[in-house]
Amino acid sequence: MSTPLLAKMLRRRIFRLCQVRNVISGSIRLRSDSSSSQYCLDLVRKHDYEGFLSALLIPEATQRTTVIALRAFNVELALVAQKVSNATIAGQGRLNFWQDCLDKQNVPHHPVAQELQRARTRHKLNKAFLQRLITSRKKQLEKPGHETLADLEQYAEDTVSPLLYLSLQAAAAQKPGSDYMNLINATSRLGKAIGLTYALRGLAHATHSSELGIPKDTLRRNKVHPEKMVRRHGSDKEVQDAVYEVARRAFRHLDKARTVKVPKEVVPFLLTSVPADLYLKRLEKVNFNPFHPSLHKRLVTLHFRMWYNKLIGKF
């Protein structure tokens, strides 16, 4: 490759990174065809920062808009329990609102609902995957917590994996054959790894034993009283052993997923695996103490790490 061509490619990369940096900081806005799409972008930036960063690395505009709409929808579902004082009654009512958005042809004048409808029309998104996102949140409102590690894995499969499956639909990755099934299996494992990581990261914010993402039988097996988790006794060996048990399973799912070779153009749709991987490695360095202060600092190089993974074709 000639030196002038190499220099030109490098300038384009630097320019693109500068654009991403400015969008991340909010100093400029992505071009959009409506205020509703900008609303979704801002919502995801605020509540799903890692999903926001990964979406910015999707090169095709309509695909990027669809993924942002999906993530905004997921944010709305995840925030239900935080927005209502009575999670069982008012929370179910709020989730029913989103259920109506899926079922009815006349979509409410809500920016996320409007963008989700456009995304469904644009990419023929599978309603069953959207339904799973709602149903899993309803079940969690009715019965918070997880009894076993298998229950937590299933919750991750129901709340994270469908979002990735839908993103693959936006990527037009639906092709019959063994390669596509391998991609789906890898995505399922990836969703479980990310979901288990979310559960571990959430331990630092739990104020009651019902909010603990770690399974009850894992706590019992390692002789950890839930109150120890709530009071952040992260230096206790029993607590670290319980956290290690969940982290080890997340590592295993991530490693298995990465044995599958996926098309390079699909990689940007799976880049939320990068922050999960980085968190698990940082957790290991602090001896699986989920309350260590270093784990709760935002990585300033995260968007660069995700961009680099996209460049080398590794999710």
Side-chain angles (χ1 to χ4, degrees), residues 165-205:
Y165 298 147
L166 290 161
S167 297
L168 291 182
Q169 287 189 307
Q174 285 185 296
K175 297 177 181 178
S178 58
D179 289 345
Y180 176 66
M181 290 310 301
N182 287 337
L183 175 59
I184 290 298
N185 291 334
T187 305
S188 173
R189 285 192 174 275
L190 197 57
K192 290 176 181 177
I194 295 171
L196 294 179
T197 304
Y198 285 160
L200 293 174
R201 293 169 68 173
L203 292 174
H205 308 289

Side-chain angles (χ1 to χ4, degrees), residues 19 52 56 67 69 83 122 131 140 148 159 171 191 223 253 303:
Q19 283 186 314
F52 166 73
L56 292 183
V67 170
K83 286 184 175 181
R122 188 162 50 233
Q131 181 66 61
Q140 189 64 11
T148 67
T159 56
K223 298 180 173 57
H253 283 305
H303 65 285

